[in-house]
Amino acid sequence: MSTLETAAHPERLCRVAIDPLSRVEGHGKVTLLTDRDHHIRQARLHIVEFRGFEKFIQGRPYWEVPVAVQRLCGICPVSHNLAAAKAVDQLVGAPEIPPTAEKIRRLMHYGQTLQSHAVHFFHLASPDFLFDFDDPTAHRNIGGVMADYPDIARQGVRLRKYGQEVIRVTAGKRIHGTGTVPGGVNKSLTVQERNYLLTDLDLLIQWGRNIVKLVKQAYALNPGYFTHFATIRTNYLSLIGADGALDLYHGGLRARNERGEILFDHLDYRRYSQVLREQVKPWSYMKFPFINSLGPEQGWYRVGPLARINNCDRIATPLAEEERREFMALGEGQPVHVTLAYHWARMIELLHAAEAIRELLLDPDIFGDELVARGEMTREGVGVIEAPRGTLFHHYRINEDGLIEKANLIVSTTNNNQAMNESIRQVAEHYLDGKELSEPLLNQIEVAVRAYDPCLSCATHALGKMPLIVELVEEESGAVVDCLVRDADGTFHSSY
Amino acid sequence: MSEELGFTLDGRRIPFQDGQTVMAAALAAGVYIPHLCFNPDFAPHGSCRVCLVKVNGRFQASCTTPAASGLTVQSETEELRNIRRGILQMLFVEGNHVCPACEKSGACQLQAVAYYVGMLNPHFSHFYPRRPVDASHAEAVIDFNRCILCELCVRASRDVDGKNIFAVQGRGIQAHLVVNTPSGKLGATHFSIHDKAAQVCPTGAILTKHQGYNVPIGQRLYDRKPINVVGDVAQLPESKGGRRHD
Ligand code: SF4
Ligand code: FES
C-alpha cells in the first residue's frame, strides 16, 4: 500500500474534521494532505453512505429481506435482491434451486448488468471517449453526445431500456420487483414474454459490439493517457465459474495478485470470512477489506469489470470472448492494471450480458413450472453475486423464529474502497500544481472515481457534474489551505 | 308487502332491510364506501372512521349508522374524500407501512383504500415507532408495525374461533395490540393459520411465515382493478386473496 494514505506523524497533520453533518448532502469529499513542498502526503475519499444497512434489517423476518434490501440502494437494487435471495436459499435448505428458477434469476441479473453498464457508459462516461480532452466542458457531456452522436446516444437509451424490460418481465417491476422467493422465483416466462424480449435482441448485440469498438478506438488514439491515468497495480477478486469462465451469478471466489498468480481459487463463498477481513479506519465510515493472507497493507484488491475480465480464463459467449482475448493482450501475460480500462472491460461485459440473455431466452427451461426448492432450515446463509460494480456479499444469521439476528454486507464499492483512494492519490500527485486546487484537478479526480462506477450518490451525476468537495490540508500546520466545491449543477466555488 | 325501504346515497336510491346499516345496505346494493375496520361477518366497530359519510348533513360513520327511510347520504364528495385521505395519512404515519418492502403489498386493503381515496403521500411526519416483530409462532408472524387497531383479529378470535387470543390495550395514542398470554407471545397460544383471525387482517400485520413474495406483481389482488371493484381481501377466497400458497 502506498505510504501516502497514512502519513508518518499523523498527530502533526490534520484537524480536518470529517464531520458528516457539515458535509454537503450528496457530495463526494476528498481530503489531500500536502507537505511544505506541496507534495501530496495523503489522499482520502470520505464516504458516509451505507451506514445502518445491517441494523435496519435486524429483527425482520428473513423471507422479506431480499425485497427489503432493495430499498437500501437505489442504484442496483436487483443485485441486492439476488445476493440476499441466494443467502435465503441456504436458510431454507435449498442451496440448489430448480433450473427454471436459476435461469430466471440469471436473466434478471443479466438484464440488470446490461442496463447498469449502459447507463454508466452512455450517460456518465461516454463523453470522455467521444470528445477530445480539450473539448469545452459545456459540450463534453451527454448533451454533447446527443448533438454530435445521436445514433450512439439513442443506442444507449435503447440498451438501458431493454435491460429494464428484462428486469420487469422477470421481477414484475423495473424497480422494487419481487421475482425471487425463498428457494426460487415466483414466476417463469410465457412464450409471449420470451418472444417480446427476443425482438431486436440481435440488433442490440450488434450495438454492444460497436460500443466495445468505440472504446478501443478511443484507447488507441491516446494510449499514453489511458495507460497511466490513475493506474495502480493491484490484486483482483471475483466469482469464477466452476469451469473458469466468467460468471456473474454464481461460482467460487478467485483472487489473483498483481502478477496474475492465483491466490485462492474456487473457494466456497460461504467461507469468505476465512480469506477476507475488513479493516476499520478512524477517518472513514466505510471499511477497508483485504485478503487475509496478505495483510491490510498488501492485501487490498479491486473488484468489478476489470477484476472479472482479468480473473476469468474465458467467456462462454463467443463475441465477448473474442473481445476478452484482445483486451488481455494489453497485459502481456499479466493482469491489465489500467484503471480507465474498467470502461473497456465494462463494455465487454455489456456485450456478454446481451449474448447471455439471448442464450437464456432460447433455453426451454425458462418456461418450466418447477419454481421453488425447499429443504431443512439452517440458521446461517451467505449469498454472493457479481453485481455490475463488483463482488457483493450478503451474510445473514437468523434466530430460531426466523428473524434476522445478524447481517453483514460487503458491497462492491466497499471492496474498491482502498483502490479508489489509491487512484485519487495517484491523480492528485500528477495534477496538483502548487498550493491551489483547480477545476481541472477536480475533473481528473472525478474521472478516476468514475472509472470504478461506485454506487455513491455523488457518482450518479452526469460527467462534469459530480458534486465534489476537495480540501487541501497542510501537513505541518493542519490548516486547510484551499477548498474547492463543485455542486451538482456543475458550478464551482471556493469555500476557502 | 308494502313499498320497499330505501334511502339515497349520492343521489342513488339504496334499498335496505330493517336492521341494516348504511354501509351494509350500500355494499349489498353494489355501491362501495371505503372502510377498514368493517367486515360484514362481524358486529361493526366504528373505529377507523374511514367510512365517514354525511347523513342529512351530519358526519356519521356509515358502518354504525342504521339505515332509515328518507335519509340523504353523501359519500363521494370532495369534502369527504379529503377527510378520508387525511385519516389514511394519519394511519400511515402512525405505524411503519413500508409498502415496497411489505409482502402484503398489492393485496393490502390499507394500501388499496389509500389508492382509492387518492392518497399520494403521507403528508404528516412519520412517528417511526419501534415495535418488534413477534415470530414466536411456528406458522404465523405478527408485525405490530403494520397494525391499524381495527380489532378484526380480536373480534374473529373471540367471536368465531372462540380463542380470545388478541386484545387492544392502552388508550388513545398508547393503544396497541397485545397477545393474551403472560409472555405476550403468539407462540404460547393455540393460534392456527386456519383460524378466522388469521384471515381478516386488512394489512400485512398477520402473515403466514416463510412465504415471501409468492404472488408475482401483476397477479396480486389489486394489481388490475381497484378495491371498489375487487372488494375486501377478507371476503375473497384464499386463492384470489393470494395469501396462502403452501
Ligand atoms: S393485527 Fe390486523 S386485524 Fe388485528 S387489529 Fe391489527 S390491523 Fe386489525
Ligand atoms: S369502517 Fe366504519 S369506522 Fe371503520
Side-chain angles (χ1 to χ4, degrees):
Chain A
M1 189 180 347
S2 125
T3 53
L4 295 181
E5 192 238 281
T6 300
H9 300 286
E11 67 288 351
R12 296 218 312 265
L13 294 189
C14 59
R15 48 174 177 76
V16 184
I18 304 134
D19 176 4
L21 297 175
S22 68
R23 186 174 171 278
V24 186
E25 193 53 48
H27 281 65
K29 182 174 169 182
V30 172
T31 309
L32 305 172
L33 259 107
T34 57
D35 61 19
R36 199 178 293 159
D37 304 324
H38 311 311
H39 289 131
I40 302 273
R41 298 293 304 260
Q42 291 185 5
R44 288 171 171 177
L45 171 64
H46 308 286
I47 296 166
V48 296
E49 266 135 298
F50 316 112
R51 284 176 303 154
F53 265 47
E54 286 96 343
K55 268 263 170 298
F56 175 90
I57 221 74
Q58 253 174 34
R60 299 302 312 174
Y62 75 83
W63 55 88
E64 77 175 26
V65 166
V67 167
V69 289
Q70 299 187 96
R71 297 185 57 247
L72 302 178
C73 170
I75 297 178
C76 59
V78 174
S79 308
H80 285 293
N81 175 258
L82 289 172
K86 289 176 79 180
V88 166
D89 294 343
Q90 287 162 29
L91 295 176
V92 299
E96 304 273 322
I97 60 172
T100 298
E102 178 170 328
K103 285 171 188 172
I104 297 294
R105 287 192 189 176
R106 278 182 181 272
L107 258 181
M108 197 189 297
H109 187 45
Y110 288 120
Q112 152 96 350
T113 306
L114 183 66
Q115 80 94 19
S116 174
H117 283 0
V119 171
H120 184 263
F121 185 76
F122 291 97
H123 291 252
L124 304 177
S126 68
D128 255 3
F129 290 90
L130 298 172
F131 302 127
D132 282 345
F133 298 98
D134 44 16
D135 198 67
T137 329
H139 177 257
R140 208 178 139 127
N141 53 37
I142 184 69
V145 176
M146 285 195 289
D148 295 9
Y149 299 90
D151 283 352
I152 289 175
R154 219 177 20 248
Q155 289 172 10
V157 171
R158 282 275 301 280
L159 280 163
R160 170 194 201 177
K161 234 178 125 188
Y162 180 79
Q164 289 173 327
E165 280 303 281
V166 175
I167 296 170
R168 187 185 59 76
V169 169
T170 49
K173 275 163 89 182
R174 286 172 169 195
I175 45 161
H176 294 147
T178 62
T180 62
V181 292
V185 294
N186 63 19
K187 73 184 281 275
S188 53
L189 253 60
T190 63
V191 176
Q192 290 92 313
E193 286 169 332
R194 190 274 305 266
N195 292 346
Y196 164 66
L197 290 178
L198 272 179
T199 330
D200 295 342
L201 182 53
D202 289 338
L203 184 64
L204 301 189
I205 292 172
Q206 188 51 46
W207 290 351
R209 290 184 87 174
N210 295 346
I211 297 158
V212 182
K213 210 162 63 251
L214 195 80
V215 177
K216 283 193 289 195
Q217 280 165 359
Y219 196 102
L221 280 176
N222 212 336
Y225 171 77
F226 276 96
T227 309
H228 299 294
F229 180 85
T231 289
I232 46 179
R233 292 179 66 87
T234 64
N235 307 304
Y236 294 96
L237 176 85
S238 71
L239 286 182
I240 194 78
D243 56 355
L246 175 72
D247 199 321
L248 303 178
Y249 177 76
H250 195 62
L253 290 170
R254 171 180 280 183
R256 288 188 194 274
N257 66 14
E258 60 173 75
R259 291 182 300 281
E261 294 150 2
I262 298 268
L263 295 168
F264 49 81
D265 209 2
H266 300 296
L267 187 104
D268 182 342
Y269 59 64
R270 285 173 291 191
R271 296 194 288 126
Y272 78 99
S273 58
Q274 292 174 5
V275 289
L276 300 179
R277 289 280 147 84
E278 290 177 277
Q279 193 185 23
V280 176
K281 298 190 183 183
W283 57 271
S284 177
Y285 284 113
M286 188 181 261
K287 292 178 184 171
F288 292 81
F290 60 92
I291 294 163
N292 196 18
S293 59
L294 298 180
E297 297 293 312
Q298 306 295 326
W300 56 277
Y301 52 84
R302 291 199 272 189
V303 299
L306 183 65
R308 291 189 287 246
I309 304 293
N310 272 330
N311 259 356
C312 71
D313 305 330
R314 59 189 192 85
I315 298 178
T317 57
L319 299 176
E321 169 63 6
E322 210 178 287
E323 296 297 344
R324 183 194 70 86
R325 285 166 188 264
E326 195 175 332
F327 178 86
M328 289 310 290
L330 216 65
E332 295 166 354
Q334 289 204 5
V336 177
H337 295 297
V338 175
T339 295
L340 286 178
Y342 259 101
H343 295 291
W344 185 344
R346 197 171 285 123
M347 290 308 102
I348 297 175
E349 287 190 345
L350 179 144
L351 175 60
H352 168 61
E355 288 185 283
I357 289 171
R358 182 174 55 187
E359 278 180 11
L360 284 164
L361 289 175
L362 296 174
D363 186 330
D365 279 352
I366 60 168
F367 306 126
D369 49 17
E370 202 198 331
L371 302 181
V372 175
R374 287 287 174 108
E376 194 72 19
M377 286 287 298
T378 62
R379 298 277 284 273
E380 203 153 336
V382 178
V384 179
I385 196 161
E386 281 298 330
R389 294 162 180 81
T391 322
L392 170 66
F393 298 78
H394 278 228
H395 182 178
Y396 301 103
R397 203 174 65 219
I398 55 174
N399 67 13
E400 58 194 10
D401 294 340
L403 301 181
I404 302 289
E405 220 166 51
K406 198 172 179 329
N408 187 39
L409 273 63
I410 309 177
V411 304
S412 322
T413 298
T414 302
N415 283 307
N416 276 335
N417 193 2
Q418 185 65 43
M420 289 191 293
N421 280 277
E422 295 290 330
S423 282
I424 290 172
R425 179 201 38 86
Q426 219 259 37
V427 167
E429 268 184 330
H430 274 80
Y431 290 87
L432 183 73
D433 191 10
K435 271 179 82 165
E436 263 173 40
L437 293 170
S438 61
E439 295 183 16
L441 172 67
L442 234 75
N443 289 336
Q444 301 301 344
I445 289 177
E446 168 175 358
V447 173
V449 171
R450 179 87 75 206
Y452 292 89
D453 186 16
C455 48
L456 307 174
S457 49
C458 66
T460 57
H461 293 262
L463 191 98
K465 301 240 167 107
M466 184 190 284
L468 270 181
I469 302 172
V470 179
E471 270 181 353
L472 197 61
V473 176
E474 221 165 50
E475 182 183 23
E476 225 152 301
S477 62
V480 179
V481 292
D482 199 4
C483 180
L484 191 61
V485 180
R486 181 175 56 201
D487 290 327
D489 58 3
T491 56
F492 285 91
H493 53 95
S494 170
S495 76
Y496 171 58
Chain B
M1 196 156 145
S2 65
E3 209 190 303
E4 205 188 29
L5 299 168
F7 62 89
T8 53
L9 173 59
D10 292 335
R12 179 172 162 185
R13 190 182 146 80
I14 306 289
F16 69 92
Q17 280 153 19
D18 240 350
Q20 259 186 327
T21 58
V22 168
M23 170 74 80
L27 291 180
V31 180
Y32 179 74
I33 300 175
H35 54 270
L36 286 170
C37 71
F38 172 78
N39 174 318
D41 295 345
F42 302 97
H45 191 249
S47 59
C48 76
R49 312 316 271 185
V50 168
C51 67
L52 203 73
V53 291
K54 253 185 173 174
V55 181
N56 291 349
R58 290 182 51 195
F59 289 115
Q60 305 263 18
S62 60
C63 72
T64 52
T65 304
S69 280
L71 293 183
T72 304
V73 182
Q74 288 173 299
S75 173
E76 293 298 329
T77 65
E78 195 50 35
E79 180 189 26
L80 285 162
R81 242 175 114 75
N82 287 339
I83 295 173
R84 287 174 186 152
R85 197 182 304 130
I87 294 170
L88 260 300
Q89 285 165 325
M90 288 191 265
L91 284 175
F92 268 84
V93 300
E94 193 268 337
N96 293 313
H97 299 279
V98 189
C99 297
C102 178
E103 280 170 81
K104 190 77 174 239
S105 190
C108 170
Q109 202 175 326
L110 179 68
Q111 186 188 46
V113 172
Y115 278 129
Y116 180 79
V117 300
M119 175 184 148
L120 297 175
N121 60 42
H123 183 76
F124 304 108
S125 42
H126 284 273
F127 285 26
Y128 293 124
R130 288 175 153 263
R131 302 179 190 148
V133 172
D134 179 354
S136 57
H137 193 274
E139 298 170 310
V141 60
I142 305 189
D143 188 342
F144 295 99
N145 295 290
R146 300 172 183 158
C147 175
I148 57 166
L149 300 173
C150 69
E151 293 197 31
L152 276 168
C153 60
V154 177
R155 288 177 271 168
S157 183
R158 184 188 60 212
D159 305 343
V160 179
D161 306 326
K163 296 184 181 177
N164 201 17
I165 286 172
F166 302 101
V168 168
Q169 250 176 27
R171 303 196 127 259
I173 196 71
Q174 306 295 340
H176 60 285
L177 185 73
V178 294
V179 175
N180 272 330
T181 55
S183 65
K185 291 285 183 199
L186 192 63
T189 69
H190 297 296
F191 184 79
S192 147
I193 46 166
H194 304 293
D195 285 358
K196 182 76 172 170
Q199 322 294 332
V200 292
C201 182
T203 76
I206 302 179
L207 292 174
T208 305
K209 285 174 100 169
H210 306 298
Q211 292 192 126
Y213 301 76
N214 57 8
V215 182
I217 294 172
Q219 295 171 34
R220 299 171 311 180
L221 190 59
Y222 301 120
D223 276 341
R224 292 194 186 154
K225 292 187 187 133
I227 188 163
N228 58 318
V229 179
V230 178
D232 297 351
V233 191
Q235 295 305 305
L236 291 156
E238 268 168 27
S239 57
K240 275 197 159 170
R243 247 359 281 161
R244 282 234 305 288
H245 192 89
D246 17 24

